[in-house]
Amino acid sequence: MKIAMIGTGSMGSGLGRALAAAGHEVTMGSRDRRKAQDVAKDVGAARGTGYEQAAADAEVVFLAVPWLAVEETLAELGDVSGKTLVDVTNPYGPTGLIDMGDSSSTEEVGRMAPGARVVKGWNTVYARNLAKPDFDGVAASVFICSDDYEAKQTVMALARDIGFDPVDCGSAESARGLTQLLGVMGGFNWGRDAQLRLLRR
Ligand SMILES: NC(=O)c1ccc[n+]([C@@H]2O[C@H](COP(=O)([O-])OP(=O)(O)OC[C@H]3O[C@@H](n4cnc5c(N)ncnc54)[C@H](OP(=O)(O)O)[C@@H]3O)[C@@H](O)[C@H]2O)c1
């Protein structure tokens, strides 16, 4: 699958590396093309380029930038309508998680990128665990939600491809709960080597 990674930080490079290793055609997107090319080489991605060009050719676009840069980044991406847009962000402001009221980062991304098939995923997965989601033979869960059923299935399949256990958390509104879940995880001070796994029968 043709995948664009928007942002070459911890999440973007970790996801890019994992998806490339799983056989996907990954393009790393950066504000700095040179950096995109260097990171692409490092993570085994097919190529590196600017944000707009990276997104243009992709079926699935991962938005892996700080929350406060999302609006500007989406404006740079151009038209992403019809594409699956994976929101991995957590809405951090200068003093911690921002209270989004009756909304969530994912619902706001949907408003800022009309026509995009927005899917939430990986917001509770720490970047350091992207390379090794296996914990003593048990895959960490990745919580996924979207109003677009088909796009959600696509992203759940990508999660499986890179060794995670995808959990369908329902509609985009569930992103509100997923942000709260991240806050709860942080509050318990379990550390970034800990991940959640949903057990099912
Ligand atoms: N780190 C984690 O464990 C973790 C876990 C779950 C979710 N998240 C969320 O995932 C998103 C990315 O996190 P991250 O840890 O990958 O962040 P990061 O290491 O700081 O990287 C963010 C990337 O976003 C791009 N960017 C675009 N505009 C920017 C701006 N104004 N300032 C800084 N960077 C900008 C940069 O890539 P270019 O320079 O290449 O353009 C940068 O490398 C965030 O929303 C975060 O809350 C993080």
Side-chain angles (χ1 to χ4, degrees), residues 6-13 29-32 35-36 39 51 63-70 72-73 87-92 121-128 182 192:
I6 303 302
T8 57
S10 312
M11 289 300 281
S13 55
S30 175
R31 293 166 294 178
D32 173 347
K35 181 181 171 192
V39 175
Y51 284 165
L63 186 61
V65 301
W67 174 249
L68 294 178
V70 162
E72 190 186 339
T73 303
D87 167 35
V88 310
T89 70
N90 282 305
Y92 278 105
W122 284 274
N123 78 301
T124 63
V125 173
Y126 296 116
R128 66 169 64 179
L182 175 83
R192 289 176 174 245

CSV table of all heavy atoms in Angstrom, one decimal, residues 6-13 29-32 35-36 39 51 63-70 72-73 87-92 121-128 182 192, ligand 1:
chain,number,residue,atom,x,y,z
A,6,ILE,N,3.6,12.0,7.5
A,6,ILE,CA,3.8,13.4,7.6
A,6,ILE,C,4.4,13.8,8.9
A,6,ILE,O,3.7,13.7,10.0
A,6,ILE,CB,2.4,14.1,7.3
A,6,ILE,CG1,1.8,13.8,6.0
A,6,ILE,CG2,2.6,15.7,7.5
A,6,ILE,CD1,2.7,14.1,4.8
A,7,GLY,N,5.6,14.1,8.9
A,7,GLY,CA,6.4,14.3,10.1
A,7,GLY,C,7.4,13.2,10.3
A,7,GLY,O,7.1,12.0,10.1
A,8,THR,N,8.7,13.6,10.6
A,8,THR,CA,9.7,12.6,10.7
A,8,THR,C,10.3,12.5,12.1
A,8,THR,O,11.5,12.2,12.3
A,8,THR,CB,10.9,13.0,9.7
A,8,THR,OG1,11.3,14.3,10.0
A,8,THR,CG2,10.4,12.9,8.2
A,9,GLY,N,9.4,12.8,13.1
A,9,GLY,CA,9.9,12.7,14.5
A,9,GLY,C,9.8,11.3,15.0
A,9,GLY,O,9.8,10.3,14.2
A,10,SER,N,9.6,11.1,16.3
A,10,SER,CA,9.6,9.8,16.9
A,10,SER,C,8.5,8.9,16.3
A,10,SER,O,8.7,7.7,16.0
A,10,SER,CB,9.4,9.9,18.4
A,10,SER,OG,10.2,10.9,18.9
A,11,MET,N,7.3,9.4,16.2
A,11,MET,CA,6.2,8.6,15.7
A,11,MET,C,6.3,8.4,14.2
A,11,MET,O,6.1,7.2,13.7
A,11,MET,CB,4.8,9.2,16.1
A,11,MET,CG,4.5,9.2,17.5
A,11,MET,SD,4.3,7.5,18.2
A,11,MET,CE,2.8,7.0,17.7
A,12,GLY,N,6.5,9.4,13.5
A,12,GLY,CA,6.6,9.3,12.0
A,12,GLY,C,7.7,8.3,11.6
A,12,GLY,O,7.5,7.5,10.7
A,13,SER,N,8.9,8.5,12.2
A,13,SER,CA,10.0,7.6,11.8
A,13,SER,C,9.7,6.2,12.3
A,13,SER,O,10.0,5.2,11.5
A,13,SER,CB,11.4,8.1,12.2
A,13,SER,OG,11.4,8.4,13.5
A,29,GLY,N,7.5,12.3,4.7
A,29,GLY,CA,7.3,13.7,4.4
A,29,GLY,C,7.8,14.6,5.5
A,29,GLY,O,7.6,14.3,6.7
A,30,SER,N,8.5,15.6,5.1
A,30,SER,CA,9.1,16.6,6.1
A,30,SER,C,8.9,18.0,5.5
A,30,SER,O,8.8,18.2,4.3
A,30,SER,CB,10.5,16.2,6.3
A,30,SER,OG,11.1,17.2,7.2
A,31,ARG,N,9.0,19.0,6.5
A,31,ARG,CA,9.0,20.4,6.0
A,31,ARG,C,10.3,20.6,5.3
A,31,ARG,O,10.5,21.6,4.5
A,31,ARG,CB,8.9,21.3,7.3
A,31,ARG,CG,7.6,21.2,8.0
A,31,ARG,CD,7.7,21.9,9.3
A,31,ARG,NE,8.6,21.2,10.2
A,31,ARG,CZ,8.9,21.5,11.4
A,31,ARG,NH1,8.4,22.6,11.9
A,31,ARG,NH2,9.7,20.8,12.2
A,32,ASP,N,11.3,19.8,5.6
A,32,ASP,CA,12.7,19.9,5.0
A,32,ASP,C,12.9,18.7,4.2
A,32,ASP,O,13.1,17.6,4.7
A,32,ASP,CB,13.7,20.0,6.2
A,32,ASP,CG,15.1,20.0,5.8
A,32,ASP,OD1,15.4,19.7,4.6
A,32,ASP,OD2,16.0,20.3,6.6
A,35,LYS,N,16.0,16.5,4.9
A,35,LYS,CA,15.8,15.7,6.1
A,35,LYS,C,14.9,14.5,5.8
A,35,LYS,O,15.2,13.4,6.2
A,35,LYS,CB,15.1,16.6,7.2
A,35,LYS,CG,14.8,15.9,8.5
A,35,LYS,CD,14.1,16.9,9.5
A,35,LYS,CE,13.6,16.3,10.7
A,35,LYS,NZ,12.7,17.2,11.5
A,36,ALA,N,13.9,14.7,5.0
A,36,ALA,CA,13.0,13.6,4.6
A,36,ALA,C,13.7,12.5,3.9
A,36,ALA,O,13.5,11.3,4.1
A,36,ALA,CB,11.9,14.2,3.7
A,39,VAL,N,16.0,10.7,6.5
A,39,VAL,CA,15.2,9.8,7.3
A,39,VAL,C,14.7,8.6,6.6
A,39,VAL,O,14.7,7.5,7.0
A,39,VAL,CB,14.0,10.6,8.0
A,39,VAL,CG1,13.1,9.6,8.8
A,39,VAL,CG2,14.6,11.7,8.9
A,51,TYR,N,5.8,17.7,2.4
A,51,TYR,CA,4.5,17.2,2.9
A,51,TYR,C,3.5,17.0,1.7
A,51,TYR,O,2.9,15.9,1.6
A,51,TYR,CB,3.9,18.2,3.9
A,51,TYR,CG,4.5,18.2,5.3
A,51,TYR,CD1,4.2,19.2,6.1
A,51,TYR,CD2,5.3,17.1,5.7
A,51,TYR,CE1,4.7,19.3,7.4
A,51,TYR,CE2,5.8,17.2,7.0
A,51,TYR,CZ,5.5,18.2,7.9
A,51,TYR,OH,6.0,18.3,9.2
A,63,LEU,N,-0.7,11.4,9.9
A,63,LEU,CA,-0.4,12.8,10.4
A,63,LEU,C,0.3,12.6,11.8
A,63,LEU,O,-0.3,12.3,12.8
A,63,LEU,CB,-1.8,13.5,10.6
A,63,LEU,CG,-1.8,14.9,11.0
A,63,LEU,CD1,-1.1,15.8,10.0
A,63,LEU,CD2,-3.2,15.4,11.2
A,64,ALA,N,1.6,12.8,11.8
A,64,ALA,CA,2.4,12.6,12.9
A,64,ALA,C,3.2,13.8,13.3
A,64,ALA,O,4.4,13.8,13.4
A,64,ALA,CB,3.4,11.4,12.7
A,65,VAL,N,2.4,14.9,13.6
A,65,VAL,CA,3.0,16.2,14.0
A,65,VAL,C,2.4,16.6,15.3
A,65,VAL,O,1.4,16.1,15.7
A,65,VAL,CB,2.8,17.2,12.9
A,65,VAL,CG1,3.3,16.8,11.5
A,65,VAL,CG2,1.3,17.6,12.7
A,66,PRO,N,3.1,17.6,16.0
A,66,PRO,CA,2.5,18.1,17.3
A,66,PRO,C,1.1,18.7,17.0
A,66,PRO,O,0.9,19.3,15.9
A,66,PRO,CB,3.5,19.1,17.7
A,66,PRO,CG,4.7,18.9,16.9
A,66,PRO,CD,4.3,18.2,15.7
A,67,TRP,N,0.2,18.5,18.0
A,67,TRP,CA,-1.1,19.0,17.8
A,67,TRP,C,-1.2,20.5,17.4
A,67,TRP,O,-1.9,20.9,16.5
A,67,TRP,CB,-2.0,18.9,19.1
A,67,TRP,CG,-3.3,19.5,19.0
A,67,TRP,CD1,-3.8,20.6,19.7
A,67,TRP,CD2,-4.4,19.1,18.1
A,67,TRP,NE1,-5.0,20.9,19.2
A,67,TRP,CE2,-5.4,20.0,18.3
A,67,TRP,CE3,-4.5,18.1,17.2
A,67,TRP,CZ2,-6.6,19.9,17.6
A,67,TRP,CZ3,-5.7,18.0,16.4
A,67,TRP,CH2,-6.7,18.9,16.7
A,68,LEU,N,-0.3,21.3,18.0
A,68,LEU,CA,-0.4,22.8,17.7
A,68,LEU,C,0.1,23.1,16.2
A,68,LEU,O,-0.1,24.2,15.7
A,68,LEU,CB,0.5,23.6,18.7
A,68,LEU,CG,-0.1,23.5,20.1
A,68,LEU,CD1,0.8,24.3,21.1
A,68,LEU,CD2,-1.5,24.0,20.2
A,69,ALA,N,0.7,22.1,15.6
A,69,ALA,CA,1.1,22.3,14.2
A,69,ALA,C,0.1,21.6,13.2
A,69,ALA,O,0.3,21.7,12.0
A,69,ALA,CB,2.5,21.7,14.0
A,70,VAL,N,-1.0,21.0,13.7
A,70,VAL,CA,-1.8,20.3,12.8
A,70,VAL,C,-2.5,21.2,11.7
A,70,VAL,O,-2.6,20.8,10.6
A,70,VAL,CB,-2.9,19.5,13.6
A,70,VAL,CG1,-4.1,19.1,12.8
A,70,VAL,CG2,-2.3,18.3,14.3
A,72,GLU,N,-1.8,24.1,10.4
A,72,GLU,CA,-0.8,24.6,9.4
A,72,GLU,C,-0.4,23.4,8.5
A,72,GLU,O,-0.3,23.6,7.3
A,72,GLU,CB,0.4,25.1,10.2
A,72,GLU,CG,1.4,25.9,9.4
A,72,GLU,CD,2.6,26.2,10.3
A,72,GLU,OE1,2.5,26.3,11.5
A,72,GLU,OE2,3.7,26.5,9.7
A,73,THR,N,-0.1,22.2,9.1
A,73,THR,CA,0.3,21.1,8.3
A,73,THR,C,-0.8,20.6,7.4
A,73,THR,O,-0.5,20.4,6.2
A,73,THR,CB,0.7,19.9,9.3
A,73,THR,OG1,1.7,20.4,10.2
A,73,THR,CG2,1.2,18.7,8.5
A,87,ASP,N,-4.9,9.9,12.2
A,87,ASP,CA,-4.5,10.9,13.2
A,87,ASP,C,-3.9,10.2,14.4
A,87,ASP,O,-4.6,9.5,15.2
A,87,ASP,CB,-5.8,11.6,13.6
A,87,ASP,CG,-5.6,12.5,14.9
A,87,ASP,OD1,-4.5,13.0,15.0
A,87,ASP,OD2,-6.6,12.5,15.7
A,88,VAL,N,-2.6,10.4,14.6
A,88,VAL,CA,-1.9,9.7,15.7
A,88,VAL,C,-1.7,10.8,16.8
A,88,VAL,O,-1.0,10.5,17.8
A,88,VAL,CB,-0.6,9.1,15.3
A,88,VAL,CG1,-0.7,8.1,14.1
A,88,VAL,CG2,0.6,10.1,15.1
A,89,THR,N,-2.2,12.0,16.6
A,89,THR,CA,-1.9,13.1,17.6
A,89,THR,C,-2.5,12.9,18.9
A,89,THR,O,-3.6,12.3,19.1
A,89,THR,CB,-2.3,14.4,17.0
A,89,THR,OG1,-3.7,14.5,17.0
A,89,THR,CG2,-1.8,14.7,15.6
A,90,ASN,N,-1.9,13.6,19.9
A,90,ASN,CA,-2.6,13.8,21.1
A,90,ASN,C,-2.6,15.4,21.3
A,90,ASN,O,-1.6,16.0,21.0
A,90,ASN,CB,-1.8,13.2,22.3
A,90,ASN,CG,-2.1,11.7,22.4
A,90,ASN,OD1,-3.3,11.3,22.4
A,90,ASN,ND2,-1.1,10.9,22.3
A,91,PRO,N,-3.7,15.9,21.7
A,91,PRO,CA,-3.8,17.4,21.7
A,91,PRO,C,-3.1,18.1,22.9
A,91,PRO,O,-3.8,18.6,23.8
A,91,PRO,CB,-5.3,17.6,21.7
A,91,PRO,CG,-5.9,16.4,22.4
A,91,PRO,CD,-5.0,15.3,22.1
A,92,TYR,N,-1.8,18.0,22.8
A,92,TYR,CA,-1.0,18.7,23.9
A,92,TYR,C,-0.8,20.2,23.5
A,92,TYR,O,-0.5,20.6,22.4
A,92,TYR,CB,0.4,18.1,24.0
A,92,TYR,CG,0.4,16.8,24.8
A,92,TYR,CD1,0.5,15.6,24.3
A,92,TYR,CD2,0.3,16.9,26.2
A,92,TYR,CE1,0.5,14.4,25.0
A,92,TYR,CE2,0.2,15.8,27.0
A,92,TYR,CZ,0.3,14.5,26.4
A,92,TYR,OH,0.3,13.4,27.2
A,121,GLY,N,-5.6,6.5,15.5
A,121,GLY,CA,-4.8,5.3,15.9
A,121,GLY,C,-3.5,5.6,16.5
A,121,GLY,O,-3.0,6.7,16.3
A,122,TRP,N,-3.0,4.7,17.4
A,122,TRP,CA,-1.7,4.8,18.0
A,122,TRP,C,-1.5,5.9,19.0
A,122,TRP,O,-0.4,6.1,19.4
A,122,TRP,CB,-0.6,4.9,16.9
A,122,TRP,CG,-0.3,3.6,16.2
A,122,TRP,CD1,0.5,2.6,16.6
A,122,TRP,CD2,-0.9,3.1,15.0
A,122,TRP,NE1,0.4,1.5,15.7
A,122,TRP,CE2,-0.4,1.8,14.7
A,122,TRP,CE3,-1.9,3.7,14.1
A,122,TRP,CZ2,-0.8,1.1,13.6
A,122,TRP,CZ3,-2.3,2.9,13.0
A,122,TRP,CH2,-1.7,1.7,12.8
A,123,ASN,N,-2.6,6.6,19.4
A,123,ASN,CA,-2.3,7.7,20.3
A,123,ASN,C,-1.9,7.2,21.7
A,123,ASN,O,-1.3,8.0,22.5
A,123,ASN,CB,-3.5,8.7,20.5
A,123,ASN,CG,-4.6,8.1,21.3
A,123,ASN,OD1,-5.2,7.0,21.1
A,123,ASN,ND2,-5.0,8.8,22.4
A,124,THR,N,-2.2,6.0,22.0
A,124,THR,CA,-1.8,5.5,23.4
A,124,THR,C,-0.5,4.6,23.2
A,124,THR,O,-0.1,3.9,24.2
A,124,THR,CB,-2.9,4.6,24.0
A,124,THR,OG1,-3.2,3.5,23.2
A,124,THR,CG2,-4.2,5.5,24.2
A,125,VAL,N,0.1,4.5,22.1
A,125,VAL,CA,1.3,3.7,21.9
A,125,VAL,C,2.5,4.6,21.9
A,125,VAL,O,2.6,5.6,21.1
A,125,VAL,CB,1.2,2.9,20.5
A,125,VAL,CG1,2.5,2.2,20.2
A,125,VAL,CG2,0.0,2.0,20.5
A,126,TYR,N,3.4,4.3,22.8
A,126,TYR,CA,4.6,5.1,22.9
A,126,TYR,C,5.6,4.8,21.7
A,126,TYR,O,5.7,3.6,21.4
A,126,TYR,CB,5.3,4.9,24.2
A,126,TYR,CG,4.5,5.3,25.4
A,126,TYR,CD1,4.0,4.4,26.3
A,126,TYR,CD2,4.1,6.6,25.6
A,126,TYR,CE1,3.2,4.8,27.4
A,126,TYR,CE2,3.3,7.0,26.6
A,126,TYR,CZ,2.8,6.1,27.5
A,126,TYR,OH,2.0,6.5,28.6
A,127,ALA,N,6.2,5.8,21.2
A,127,ALA,CA,7.0,5.7,20.0
A,127,ALA,C,8.0,4.6,20.2
A,127,ALA,O,8.3,3.8,19.2
A,127,ALA,CB,7.7,7.0,19.7
A,128,ARG,N,8.6,4.5,21.3
A,128,ARG,CA,9.7,3.5,21.5
A,128,ARG,C,9.2,2.1,21.3
A,128,ARG,O,10.0,1.2,21.1
A,128,ARG,CB,10.3,3.7,22.9
A,128,ARG,CG,9.4,3.3,24.0
A,128,ARG,CD,10.1,3.2,25.4
A,128,ARG,NE,10.7,4.5,25.7
A,128,ARG,CZ,11.4,4.8,26.8
A,128,ARG,NH1,11.6,3.8,27.7
A,128,ARG,NH2,11.8,5.9,27.2
A,182,LEU,N,-5.2,8.0,27.4
A,182,LEU,CA,-3.7,8.4,27.4
A,182,LEU,C,-3.4,9.1,28.7
A,182,LEU,O,-2.4,8.9,29.4
A,182,LEU,CB,-3.4,9.2,26.2
A,182,LEU,CG,-1.9,9.7,26.3
A,182,LEU,CD1,-1.0,8.7,25.8
A,182,LEU,CD2,-1.8,11.0,25.5
A,192,ARG,N,7.0,4.5,29.8
A,192,ARG,CA,6.8,4.4,28.4
A,192,ARG,C,7.1,3.0,27.8
A,192,ARG,O,7.0,2.8,26.6
A,192,ARG,CB,7.6,5.5,27.6
A,192,ARG,CG,6.9,6.8,27.9
A,192,ARG,CD,7.6,8.0,27.3
A,192,ARG,NE,6.8,9.2,27.5
A,192,ARG,CZ,6.3,9.9,26.5
A,192,ARG,NH1,6.5,9.6,25.2
A,192,ARG,NH2,5.5,10.9,26.7
B,1,LIG,N1,6.1,10.2,21.1
B,1,LIG,C1,5.1,9.4,21.5
B,1,LIG,O1,5.4,8.4,22.2
B,1,LIG,C2,3.7,9.6,21.0
B,1,LIG,C3,2.8,8.6,21.2
B,1,LIG,C4,1.5,8.7,20.7
B,1,LIG,C5,1.1,9.8,20.0
B,1,LIG,N2,2.0,10.8,19.9
B,1,LIG,C6,1.6,12.0,19.1
B,1,LIG,O2,2.1,11.9,17.8
B,1,LIG,C7,2.4,13.2,17.3
B,1,LIG,C8,3.9,13.3,16.9
B,1,LIG,O3,4.7,13.0,18.1
B,1,LIG,P1,6.2,12.8,18.0
B,1,LIG,O4,6.6,12.2,19.3
B,1,LIG,O5,6.6,12.0,16.8
B,1,LIG,O6,6.8,14.2,17.9
B,1,LIG,P2,8.2,14.7,17.4
B,1,LIG,O7,9.2,13.7,17.6
B,1,LIG,O8,8.4,16.1,18.1
B,1,LIG,O9,8.0,14.9,15.9
B,1,LIG,C9,7.0,15.7,15.3
B,1,LIG,C10,7.4,16.0,13.9
B,1,LIG,O10,6.3,16.9,13.4
B,1,LIG,C11,6.9,17.7,12.4
B,1,LIG,N3,6.4,19.1,12.6
B,1,LIG,C12,5.6,19.8,11.8
B,1,LIG,N4,5.4,21.0,12.3
B,1,LIG,C13,6.1,21.1,13.4
B,1,LIG,C14,6.3,22.2,14.4
B,1,LIG,N5,5.7,23.4,14.3
B,1,LIG,N6,7.1,21.9,15.4
B,1,LIG,C15,7.7,20.7,15.6
B,1,LIG,N7,7.5,19.7,14.7
B,1,LIG,C16,6.7,19.9,13.7
B,1,LIG,C17,8.4,17.6,12.4
B,1,LIG,O11,8.7,16.8,11.3
B,1,LIG,P3,9.5,17.5,10.0
B,1,LIG,O12,10.6,18.4,10.6
B,1,LIG,O13,10.0,16.3,9.3
B,1,LIG,O14,8.5,18.3,9.3
B,1,LIG,C18,8.7,16.8,13.7
B,1,LIG,O15,9.7,15.9,13.5
B,1,LIG,C19,2.1,14.2,18.4
B,1,LIG,O16,0.8,14.8,18.1
B,1,LIG,C20,2.1,13.4,19.7
B,1,LIG,O17,1.2,13.9,20.7
B,1,LIG,C21,3.3,10.7,20.3
